[in-house]
């Protein structure tokens, strides 16, 4: 709707009799109607984007003023305004500001339409307006010039294409934008059209854009006349750059095709239906004995060859033309007056040479006389070379294979039919130096070429070869073929690589390597030998190994060494030698002989490793072992003494207490009964604590023996539960036992199992003041057994669970103050569980109880 409104307003403005001009704040025209254009008598129709000051002079208060924002504010709002066109005609004018939200964005200039102006200069019709606008906004290049070529008018497409503003363009002439090479030609064209009064002409010229880019245009140039007199030129042009470029490419391609045809050594020609030559390449001209095309064009073969041969070729031409079937690779033979055999390979093709579909002949002829001669020679060579073990090839001078022997076929995996006629590059791998073929050919012709290449088999396998080449010459000492003899180097390269690997391994070996001759003279030492002994290599080579003697190795050892290696066996042993700086060192040596293919000893090789550190460690370990053994005896004695010194008195106390209790049983009061019970509990606590300390200490020194044997797991659990039944009853706690798995046969240490079950149940009863302790034995999976102890005791805080199995730790305000123990029970239990390959899990809630689960794997 908005666009429709704008279009309607624009059309109304254009139809008004008064002149209407809309400008921006600087007076640059944004819209102008036909009436205003007619009043201005302007020389060009496109006024949009031009300053209004170029169309009119403005008079206010009898003074000329420029139209701009300042003038409007200071003058136009206060005084009458007149505008004067280029013919000095004066019009009454009004200027109004155009506002957007109280902000001035432009001006509306209205020019009164005097009656005489209306009578003398009628406004253009709507058709004329549409025609002018069509020219203005057409995509073609449209411009007008005076008779001297100066631009008077230009349309939008021209400005856009050439990159000029209208103001810039109208300062130029047509000769400023035409390419300099065509200026004189265009001037001559305009002059002829002016003189001959030809109303319309056409020419193609290159023009130059503002940025220097060259374009081609096709121009229709029309004369502009006024009162019968030529006043200028009107040109409508179109960009034909693409067509001109295409024509240039076609021309270049045609020249290139001619050049290619002329450098081809085969004879190429084109004849019409009467056998007359139309086109000939240089090779054919030379064969006919001619120099220029003019010497041959329009003539037939009868003008150059004997009648019999010319007649034969004519009949061939007629057969090809009439049948439409080409003649391909026909061999023609003749004997020259010199007695030399001449062979030609001829092909002829029918070809339409004109619009009336007349058929001519395209002919190609190749002199194959030399090839025929090569064939005879190749037959002789082939019989001689087929059985050679090396890979033999013979190629022509272009590298096309003429002959390959059996060894070549076997090596590369091709058949003879797959190779003959193919270029030798078929076996080139692309891994060779650039332009290697040119180098080989050059050096072959200069006496021969020898070097290594990387070739490729039919299956893609790359192989190294050593190639030797030479040229074959004819009687005139002209090379006509190349022969190559190659050896497959795959196996040799493999051996070289292996040797290189072995060499690097020896040079950089972490052990000392020494090679001597049969007399013990050193021929080679590696880097490690010089590092280990301190002798440089040049000082060792030529010396004997006794340079390392320290005097601490017996002569008998050396005699045994030489006796062993000279018999072909290997000697192993330790030697105590001396470095160049006098330091002594131990080395472990392996010395053996090196034999040739006949089994004869040719050298001796020694591999030596510095074991000084090891020997020192052995000595230190020996001392440490002796100390450890003494410490172990002391430890065992200490543990035995501690066990004896604590257990024996305690057991004595328990025994004597029991006797006293029995003797005075009738006299003991209830209070005294509690005393005896207290003595019994305290004594057992001391024994248990002692046992925990001793067992934990033995674990830490890795002296806790494990005796694995078949046990009945449920029986051990039941026994422990019975032992703790009385303790639980005394605390008024329900000790519940459930066996949900029946009899369980298991292989483990029964003492460890007893300690594990006892410690966990004891721990549960100790920290449960009321409620229950439940012991469950179950088999949740086929390969698992679970021992579970669940209590309703004081529980364990979440923070302390992470330290639960640490030795000598107890939870503050719970375990440490209200209950006895030294914090070793669970630590030892976890060690025992890990010792027998089981796992322990614990969950607990403070104030609600704790659950321990031990998982045994069957």
């Amino acid at each position: 709707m908005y666009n429709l409104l704008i279009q309607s307003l624009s059309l109304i403005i254009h139809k008004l009799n008064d002149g209407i001009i809309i400008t921006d704040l600087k007076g640059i025209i944004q819209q102008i109607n036909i009436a205003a254009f007619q009043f201005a008598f302007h020389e060009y129709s496109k006024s949009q984007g031009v300053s209004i000051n170029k169309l009119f002079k403005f008079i206010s208060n009898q003074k000329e003023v420029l139209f701009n924002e300042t003038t409007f504010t200071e003058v136009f709002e206060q005084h009458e305004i007149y505008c004067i066109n280029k013919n000095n005609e004066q019009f009454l004018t009004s200027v109004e500001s155009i506002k957007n939200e109280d902000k001035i964005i432009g001006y509306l200039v209205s020019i009164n339409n005097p009656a005489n102006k209306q009578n003398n200069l009628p406004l253009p019709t709507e058709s004329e307006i549409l025609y002018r606008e069509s020219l203005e906004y057409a995509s073609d290049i449209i411009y007008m010039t005076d008779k001297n070529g100066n631009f008077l008018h230009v349309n939008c497409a021209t400005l856009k294409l050439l990159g000029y503003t209208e103001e810039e363009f109208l300062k130029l002439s047509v000769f400023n934008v035409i390419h300099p090479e065509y200026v004189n030609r265009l001037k001559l064209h305009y002059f002829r059209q002016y003189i001959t009064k030809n109303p319309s002409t056409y020419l193609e010229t290159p023009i130059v854009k503002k940025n220097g880019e060259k374009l081609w245009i096709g121009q229709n140039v029309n004369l502009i006349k006024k009162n019968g007199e030529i006043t200028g030129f009107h040109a409508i042009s179109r960009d034909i750059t693409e067509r001109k470029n295409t024509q240039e490419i076609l021309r270049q391609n045609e020249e290139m095709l001619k050049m290619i045809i002329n450098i081809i050594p085969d004879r190429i020609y084109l004849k019409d239906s009467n056998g007359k030559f139309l086109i000939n390449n240089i090779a054919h001209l030379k064969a006919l004995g001619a120099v220029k095309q003019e010497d041959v064009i329009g003539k037939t073969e009868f003008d150059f060859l004997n009648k019999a041969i010319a007649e034969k070729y004519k009949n061939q031409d007629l057969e090809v033309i009439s049948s439409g079937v080409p003649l391909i690779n026909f061999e023609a033979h003749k004997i020259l007056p010199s007695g030399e055999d001449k062979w030609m390979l001829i092909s002829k093709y029918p070809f339409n040479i004109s619009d009336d579909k007349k058929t001519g002949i395209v002919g190609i002829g190749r002199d194959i006389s030399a090839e025929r001669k090569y064939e005879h020679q190749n037959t002789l060579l082939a019989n001689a070379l087929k059985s050679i073990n090396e890979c033999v090839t013979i190629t022509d001078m272009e590298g096309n294979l003429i002959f390959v022997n059996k060894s070549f076929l076997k090596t590369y995996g091709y058949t003879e039919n797959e190779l003959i006629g193919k270029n030798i590059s078929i076996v080139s791998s692309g891994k060779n130096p650039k332009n290697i073929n040119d180098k080989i050919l050059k050096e072959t012709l200069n006496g021969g070429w020898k070097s290594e290449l990387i070739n490729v088999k039919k299956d893609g396998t790359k192989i190294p070869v050593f190639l030797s080449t030479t040229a074959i010459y004819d009687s005139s000492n002209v090379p006509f073929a190349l022969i190559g003899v190659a050896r497959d180097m795959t196996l040799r390269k493999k051996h070289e690589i292996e040797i290189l690997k072995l060499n690097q391994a020896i040079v950089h070996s972490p052990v000392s390597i020494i090679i001597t001759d049969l007399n013990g003279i050193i021929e080679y030492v590696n880097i490690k030998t010089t590092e280990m002994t301190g002798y440089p290599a040049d000082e060792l080579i030529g010396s004997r190994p006794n340079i390392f003697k320290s005097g601490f190795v017996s002569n008998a050892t050396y005699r045994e060494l030489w006796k062993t290696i000279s018999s072909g066996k290997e000697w192993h042993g330790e030697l105590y030698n001396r470095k160049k700086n006098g330091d002594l060192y131990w080395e472990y040596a392996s010395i053996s002989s090196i034999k040739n293919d006949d089994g004869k000893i040719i050298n001796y090789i020694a591999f030596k490793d510095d074991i000084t550190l090891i020997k020192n460690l052995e000595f230190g370990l020996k001392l440490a072992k002796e100390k450890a053994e003494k410490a172990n005896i002391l430890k065992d004695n200490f543990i035995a003494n501690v066990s004896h010194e604590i257990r024996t008195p305690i057991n004595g106390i328990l025994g004597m207490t029991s006797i006293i209790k029995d003797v005075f049983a009738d006299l003991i009061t209830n209070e005294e009964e509690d005393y005896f019970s207290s003595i019994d509990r305290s004594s057992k606590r001391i024994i248990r604590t002692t046992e925990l300390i001793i067992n934990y200490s033995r674990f830490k020194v890795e002296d806790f023996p494990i005796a694995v044997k078949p046990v009945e797991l449920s029986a051990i659990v039941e026994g422990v539960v019975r032992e703790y039944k009385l303790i639980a009853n005394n605390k008024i706690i329900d000790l519940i036992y459930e066996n949900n798995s029946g009899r369980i046969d298991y292989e483990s240490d029964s003492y460890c199992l007893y300690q594990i079950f006892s410690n966990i149940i004891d721990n549960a009863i100790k920290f449960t003041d009321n409620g229950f302790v439940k012991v469950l034995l179950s088999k949740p999976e086929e390969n698992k057994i679970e021992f579970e102890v669940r209590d309703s005791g004081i529980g364990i805080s979440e923070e302390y669970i992470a330290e639960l199995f640490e030795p000598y730790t107890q939870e503050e305000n719970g375990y440490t103050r209200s209950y006895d123990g030294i914090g070793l029970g669970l630590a030892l239990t976890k060690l025992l569980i890990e010792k027998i390959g089981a796992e322990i899990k614990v969950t607990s809630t403070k104030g609600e109880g704790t659950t321990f689960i031990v998982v045994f794997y069957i």
Side-chain angles (χ1 to χ4, degrees):
M1 180 64 75
Y2 178 77
N3 290 334
L4 181 60
L5 179 62
I6 294 298
Q7 292 175 6
S8 300
L9 289 173
S10 179
L11 185 59
I12 292 171
I13 290 172
H14 275 282
K15 288 182 175 291
L16 291 174
N17 289 328
D18 286 341
I20 300 296
I21 302 174
I22 297 174
T23 76
D24 62 11
L25 293 176
K26 296 181 179 180
I28 303 301
I29 297 173
Q30 307 299 311
Q31 283 281 350
I32 180 170
N33 71 350
I34 298 299
F37 166 70
Q38 293 292 336
F39 298 162
F41 278 103
H42 200 43
E43 293 181 344
Y44 53 96
S45 62
K46 183 173 180 356
S47 301
Q48 189 170 330
V50 175
S51 173
I52 194 172
N53 294 302
K54 288 191 175 183
L55 303 186
F56 299 101
K57 291 181 181 179
F58 290 94
I59 305 296
S60 178
N61 201 18
Q62 298 182 352
K63 293 182 180 179
E64 182 179 347
V65 293
L66 288 176
F67 187 99
N68 54 38
E69 186 175 8
T70 303
T71 305
F72 175 80
T73 304
E74 297 179 354
V75 180
F76 289 177
E77 285 186 333
Q78 303 172 19
H79 303 280
E80 279 191 332
I81 309 160
Y82 292 91
C83 63
I84 300 174
N85 65 12
K86 63 180 295 183
N87 289 346
N88 289 320
E89 294 176 321
Q90 183 171 300
F91 304 93
L92 181 63
T93 306
S94 63
V95 180
E96 300 291 337
S97 61
I98 301 173
K99 297 182 179 181
N100 180 18
E101 296 181 355
D102 296 329
K103 182 180 180 180
I104 298 176
I105 59 174
Y107 302 104
L108 175 65
V109 181
S110 299
I111 305 173
N112 290 342
N113 185 6
N116 63 343
K117 193 65 178 179
Q118 294 181 30
N119 294 331
N120 297 331
L121 292 173
L123 292 176
T125 66
E126 185 174 347
S127 297
E128 290 175 324
I129 293 171
L130 292 174
Y131 174 72
R132 291 179 181 182
E133 289 187 348
S134 297
L135 291 178
E136 184 66 25
Y137 297 105
S139 60
D140 288 337
I141 300 169
I142 301 174
Y143 59 83
M144 290 189 296
T145 71
D146 61 17
K147 61 184 179 182
N148 295 318
N150 299 310
F151 287 116
L152 300 176
H153 169 70
V154 62
N155 71 340
C156 295
T158 306
L159 296 175
K160 182 177 180 181
L161 181 66
L162 300 185
Y164 289 97
T165 64
E166 187 177 41
E167 186 176 0
E168 292 173 334
F169 200 78
L170 294 178
K171 293 178 180 179
L172 304 175
S173 76
V174 69
F175 306 112
N176 295 129
V177 297
I178 295 297
H179 194 279
E181 294 180 3
Y182 283 75
V183 169
N184 291 333
R185 188 181 306 180
L186 184 63
K187 286 181 177 180
L188 180 60
H189 183 90
Y190 275 20
F191 177 74
R192 286 175 178 172
Q193 187 172 4
Y194 183 84
I195 295 299
T196 61
K197 295 183 171 55
N198 190 345
S200 180
T201 60
Y202 177 81
L203 76 158
E204 295 179 355
T205 56
I207 61 175
V208 181
K209 296 170 65 174
K210 183 178 179 181
N211 62 7
E213 182 182 348
K214 178 181 175 183
L215 298 175
W216 278 89
I217 59 172
Q219 301 187 66
N220 287 302
V221 182
N222 305 298
L223 296 178
I224 301 175
K225 295 182 179 180
K226 187 174 182 180
N227 300 325
E229 181 182 350
I230 299 173
T231 61
F233 298 92
H234 177 260
I236 300 176
S237 309
R238 180 159 294 177
D239 185 353
I240 60 169
T241 305
E242 185 175 351
R243 175 169 66 81
K244 295 294 284 187
N245 289 341
T246 302
Q247 290 175 346
E248 178 62 19
I249 291 172
L250 290 174
R251 186 191 66 78
Q252 292 176 358
N253 289 342
E254 183 179 351
E255 292 297 324
M256 186 180 299
L257 181 60
K258 288 181 181 179
M259 180 183 68
I260 292 172
I261 290 175
N262 279 324
I263 64 175
I264 292 175
D266 292 346
R267 305 172 187 179
I268 301 174
Y269 52 87
L270 177 65
K271 295 189 286 186
D272 65 14
S273 57
N274 297 316
K276 294 181 179 180
F277 290 112
L278 301 175
I279 298 174
N280 304 270
N281 74 341
I282 293 175
H284 190 242
L285 291 175
K286 184 177 180 182
L288 296 177
V291 178
K292 300 177 294 181
Q293 289 280 359
E294 293 77 5
D295 299 335
V296 177
I297 292 176
K299 297 180 180 180
T300 70
E301 285 165 329
F302 287 93
D303 296 307
F304 301 96
L305 305 176
N306 65 59
K307 184 177 180 180
I309 295 177
E311 191 70 35
K312 181 178 179 180
Y313 287 161
K314 177 181 177 181
N315 292 333
Q316 285 180 349
D317 294 348
L318 293 175
E319 176 66 23
V320 170
I321 291 172
S322 62
S323 66
V325 178
L327 177 69
I328 300 176
N329 292 340
F330 168 76
E331 291 188 1
H333 176 244
K334 66 178 179 179
I335 300 176
L336 299 178
S338 63
E340 180 185 355
D341 283 340
K342 193 72 172 179
W343 288 89
M344 291 295 298
L345 191 65
I346 299 173
S347 295
K348 297 182 177 182
Y349 303 87
F351 183 71
N352 289 332
I353 58 175
S354 62
D355 294 337
D356 58 4
K357 297 185 179 179
K358 287 188 177 181
T359 303
I361 291 291
V362 174
I364 303 174
R366 176 182 294 177
D367 187 345
I368 59 171
S369 303
E371 295 177 13
R372 283 286 189 166
K373 186 176 181 180
Y374 292 161
E375 288 177 6
H376 177 69
Q377 293 176 337
N378 286 343
T379 302
L380 297 177
L381 287 170
N383 291 327
L385 298 175
K386 277 184 178 179
S387 299
I388 293 178
N389 290 328
E390 309 289 353
C391 297
V392 179
T393 61
I394 300 176
T395 69
D396 60 20
M397 298 306 293
E398 285 74 43
N400 300 311
L401 287 164
I402 300 170
F403 170 84
V404 291
N405 70 343
K406 292 179 180 178
S407 179
F408 188 94
L409 297 175
K410 182 179 179 180
T411 299
Y412 289 93
Y414 287 97
T415 64
E416 190 172 16
N417 290 336
E418 290 175 318
L419 290 178
I420 299 302
K422 299 291 194 306
N423 196 277
I424 188 65
S425 62
I426 193 173
V427 297
S428 179
S429 68
K431 295 288 185 180
N432 300 307
K434 189 177 180 181
N435 300 325
I436 186 64
N437 293 335
D438 295 337
K439 183 179 179 181
I440 292 174
L441 178 61
K442 181 179 179 181
E443 294 190 14
T444 300
L445 296 177
N446 287 332
W449 184 85
K450 292 181 181 180
S451 190
E452 293 185 6
L453 294 174
I454 302 296
N455 282 351
V456 62
K457 296 183 179 181
K458 182 181 178 181
D459 63 6
T461 304
K462 294 178 177 59
I463 58 171
V465 299
F466 184 83
L467 175 66
S468 300
T469 65
T470 188
I472 304 174
Y473 295 85
D474 61 14
S475 57
S476 301
N477 201 32
V478 176
F480 66 88
L482 306 171
I483 185 168
V485 181
R487 183 184 305 115
D488 186 354
M489 302 287 288
T490 304
L491 187 60
R492 177 175 172 179
K493 286 290 184 182
K494 183 177 179 180
H495 289 163
E496 288 178 354
I497 291 173
E498 292 300 324
I499 291 171
L500 179 62
K501 288 180 180 177
L502 291 173
N503 180 63
Q504 291 299 309
I506 290 173
V507 170
H508 300 288
S509 172
V511 300
S512 167
I513 299 176
I514 299 174
I515 299 176
T516 73
D517 63 13
L518 296 178
N519 297 316
I521 303 299
I522 297 174
E523 295 182 345
Y524 173 83
V525 295
N526 70 343
I527 297 173
K528 186 64 178 180
T529 302
T530 62
E531 292 176 354
M532 197 165 80
T533 65
Y535 286 98
D538 56 358
E539 193 171 335
L540 291 176
I541 293 173
S543 303
R544 293 179 180 275
N546 58 15
I547 194 173
F548 307 123
K549 277 188 175 182
S550 64
F552 293 100
V553 180
S554 66
N555 290 330
T557 300
Y558 290 119
R559 285 196 298 270
E560 177 64 23
L561 185 158
W562 279 104
K563 180 181 178 182
T564 302
I565 63 176
S566 60
S567 66
K569 298 178 182 179
E570 188 172 356
W571 182 87
H572 301 277
E574 295 178 356
L575 298 173
Y576 196 40
N577 285 341
R578 188 183 301 276
K579 298 181 181 181
K580 183 177 181 179
N581 64 3
D583 292 345
L584 296 172
Y585 67 98
W586 282 94
E587 64 181 15
Y588 182 82
S590 296
I591 307 173
S592 59
S593 58
I594 301 175
K595 300 176 182 178
N596 60 16
D597 295 337
D598 298 328
K600 182 179 179 182
I601 297 174
I602 56 175
N603 287 97
Y604 295 109
I605 185 169
F607 298 89
K608 300 181 177 184
D609 201 359
D610 189 342
I611 59 170
T612 305
L613 181 59
I614 295 175
K615 296 294 284 185
N616 291 338
L617 288 174
E618 285 179 355
F619 181 73
L621 288 173
K622 183 178 179 181
L623 293 177
K625 182 182 178 184
E626 291 175 357
K627 290 181 180 179
E629 288 173 349
K630 290 179 181 179
N632 197 43
I633 293 171
L634 291 174
K635 178 202 69 176
D636 290 342
N637 290 337
F638 171 75
I639 291 173
N641 289 336
V642 168
S643 178
H644 176 75
E645 290 301 319
I646 294 177
R647 288 174 182 269
T648 300
I650 294 300
N651 286 330
I653 292 170
L654 288 173
M656 293 304 295
T657 303
S658 179
I659 292 172
I660 294 171
K661 184 179 179 183
D662 290 341
V663 172
F664 297 99
D666 297 336
L667 301 176
I668 296 175
T669 65
N670 290 336
E671 184 179 357
E672 290 168 344
E673 180 70 32
D674 290 339
Y675 295 158
F676 280 106
S677 296
S678 178
I679 293 171
D680 185 64
R681 286 195 304 273
S682 298
S683 299
K684 289 181 178 179
R685 179 178 174 186
I686 293 173
I687 292 172
R688 177 175 172 76
T689 301
T690 303
E691 191 172 57
L692 284 172
I693 294 172
I694 291 172
N695 285 338
Y696 189 76
S697 299
R698 294 182 71 184
F699 253 107
K700 298 306 288 182
V701 297
E702 299 181 357
D703 186 33
F704 194 92
I706 295 294
V708 177
K709 61 182 180 179
V711 296
E712 210 283 281
L713 196 65
S714 57
I716 298 175
V717 175
E718 289 172 5
V720 175
V721 171
R722 282 195 300 271
E723 288 182 15
Y724 280 91
K725 197 73 174 176
L726 180 60
I727 299 173
N729 290 338
N730 290 337
K731 292 190 70 173
I732 315 176
I733 296 171
D734 290 332
L735 179 57
I736 306 165
Y737 171 62
E738 290 183 10
N739 182 359
N740 297 326
S741 58
R743 178 185 175 87
I744 301 174
D745 293 320
Y746 187 63
E747 289 191 358
S748 187
D749 185 286
S750 58
Y751 177 76
C752 289
L753 293 174
Y754 174 81
Q755 291 292 324
I756 292 167
F757 300 148
S758 176
N759 287 341
I760 294 175
I761 294 173
D762 180 82
N763 205 67
I765 294 173
K766 181 191 299 184
F767 297 110
T768 302
D769 295 327
N770 53 69
F772 67 91
V773 173
K774 188 173 184 179
V775 180
L776 296 94
L777 201 59
S778 60
K779 192 175 183 181
E781 297 179 22
E782 187 64 27
N783 65 333
K784 287 184 180 179
I785 299 169
E786 288 188 354
F787 167 73
E788 181 178 346
V789 177
R790 192 183 309 155
D791 66 56
S792 60
I794 64 173
I796 308 168
S797 67
E798 185 177 349
E799 295 80 10
Y800 181 68
I801 284 182
E803 303 176 11
L804 186 61
F805 298 107
E806 294 295 323
Y808 308 112
T809 60
Q810 292 179 319
E811 187 173 9
E812 199 173 271
N813 296 325
Y815 287 79
T816 56
R817 300 197 180 198
S818 302
Y819 303 93
D820 57 24
I822 60 173
L824 276 181
L826 289 179
L828 179 61
T829 299
K830 191 169 189 300
L831 291 175
L832 290 169
I833 288 170
E834 291 174 349
K835 190 77 172 178
I836 64 173
E839 292 181 1
I840 185 168
K841 304 174 184 177
V842 59
T843 58
S844 183
T845 302
K846 191 69 173 175
E848 294 182 9
T850 304
T851 299
F852 285 89
I853 298 176
V854 181
V855 182
F856 299 95
Y857 296 93
I858 301 176

